[in-house]
Amino acid sequence: MVYLDYSATTPVNEEVLDSFAKSALNYPGNPNSLHKLGVDANNLINEATEQIASLLKINSKEIIYTSGSSEANNAAIKGICEKYQNRGKHIVTTNLEHSSIYGPIDYLVEHGFEVSFVDLDENGLVTIDNLKKVMRDDTILVTIGAINSEVGIKQNIDEIGLFLKEYPKCFFHVDMTQAIGKIPVSLENVDLASFSAHKIFGLKGVGILYKKEKTYICMHKGQK
């Protein structure tokens, strides 16, 4: 059998699996414990976090570990809207997003938020002109995926991010699950971004929410 469904999930890389096995066996301590095994485990996590931060050209303090992109998307969307709802209750997104984007948005709509879907051009792209039409003074979140997992449409994230700087009360979240490790990415014009290891030959159940250092979110039980 030939496996081709890499956009859904990738097989784990043997070096990654070997590294996980060695760390699990050699660093069994709880990283929150103060004994040597715990301190050693915590140091290993910090080293790995610094490596990730270096690759993404961000601060290691801007990394929040999650169980995957779905949790990261939920944390970003609910976290921003619940934290900044005093600024407004309007969300902007597209009709090309993953279900883990629509889930928290539907929840927020049930709790008094409004959502607008920006029109796409003939190539499925968000244009600045169409985005302008749906932006409002009470828009606090725009969430747009970098690459659609089913048809591969690649949005111009940098252009959108630069435009959204004209709306200082609004935050820009990008689901970069299908982009990271496949194309060059920049987080310079993004406030929050979601990643998942299993899309790039990593282990399932591991993800990241990038959160710009001066961006704050409401944290829920189980998030750190």
Side-chain angles (χ1 to χ4, degrees):
M1 178 182 291
V2 177
Y3 179 74
L4 298 175
D5 197 15
Y6 277 50
S7 65
T9 190
T10 57
V12 63
N13 180 279
E14 289 186 8
E15 291 183 14
V16 172
L17 190 60
D18 182 58
S19 179
F20 171 76
K22 288 180 179 177
S23 63
L25 292 171
N26 297 330
Y27 297 87
N30 184 331
N32 293 315
S33 298
L34 297 179
H35 51 64
K36 186 178 186 304
L37 287 176
V39 171
D40 288 345
N42 188 59
N43 288 339
L44 186 65
I45 292 173
N46 291 337
E47 289 176 11
T49 304
E50 290 292 345
Q51 287 181 336
I52 295 169
S54 177
L55 288 170
L56 296 176
K57 296 180 173 60
I58 60 176
N59 190 318
S60 61
K61 295 179 180 178
E62 297 176 320
I63 292 174
I64 299 173
Y65 288 112
T66 67
S67 61
S69 290
S70 290
E71 183 185 357
N73 288 336
N74 272 263
I77 294 168
K78 289 182 180 177
I80 284 293
C81 289
E82 291 176 3
K83 179 70 176 178
Y84 297 99
Q85 58 185 303
N86 62 313
R87 298 183 180 182
K89 290 190 171 184
H90 183 234
I91 305 165
V92 172
T93 189
T94 79
N95 285 307
L96 286 176
E97 306 306 315
H98 189 266
S99 59
S100 61
I101 297 293
Y102 299 133
I105 288 178
D106 288 345
Y107 166 86
L108 290 164
V109 168
E110 292 176 0
H111 290 77
F113 285 79
E114 294 181 72
V115 58
S116 294
F117 293 87
V118 60
D119 289 336
L120 306 173
D121 69 10
E122 65 274 14
N123 296 311
L125 298 176
V126 174
T127 67
I128 299 303
D129 286 341
N130 284 343
L131 188 54
K132 283 180 180 178
K133 294 176 184 178
V134 295
M135 293 298 295
R136 305 185 335 202
D137 184 60
D138 63 339
T139 306
I140 60 169
L141 177 68
V142 173
T143 176
I144 296 173
I147 298 179
N148 179 269
S149 62
E150 295 182 3
V151 293
I153 294 172
K154 176 186 172 187
Q155 301 292 343
N156 193 337
I157 296 302
D158 284 334
E159 182 183 25
I160 296 170
L162 283 171
F163 164 71
L164 290 176
K165 291 184 183 298
E166 297 177 17
Y167 296 82
K169 294 194 298 184
C170 180
F171 295 89
F172 186 28
H173 167 251
V174 179
D175 184 349
M176 288 192 173
T177 308
Q178 297 292 348
I180 195 75
K182 301 172 184 176
I183 62 171
V185 298
S186 170
L187 298 174
E188 183 178 356
N189 298 313
V190 173
D191 298 301
L192 307 106
S194 305
F195 313 105
S196 199
H198 74 96
K199 301 288 187 178
I200 49 173
F201 305 96
L203 296 170
K204 294 175 176 63
V206 182
I208 285 175
L209 172 61
Y210 158 75
K211 180 183 70 64
K212 193 164 286 185
E213 192 168 4
K214 293 185 179 180
T215 297
Y216 301 97
I217 61 175
C218 282
M219 304 295 282
H220 294 268
K221 185 177 180 181
Q223 296 173 1
K224 297 181 180 179

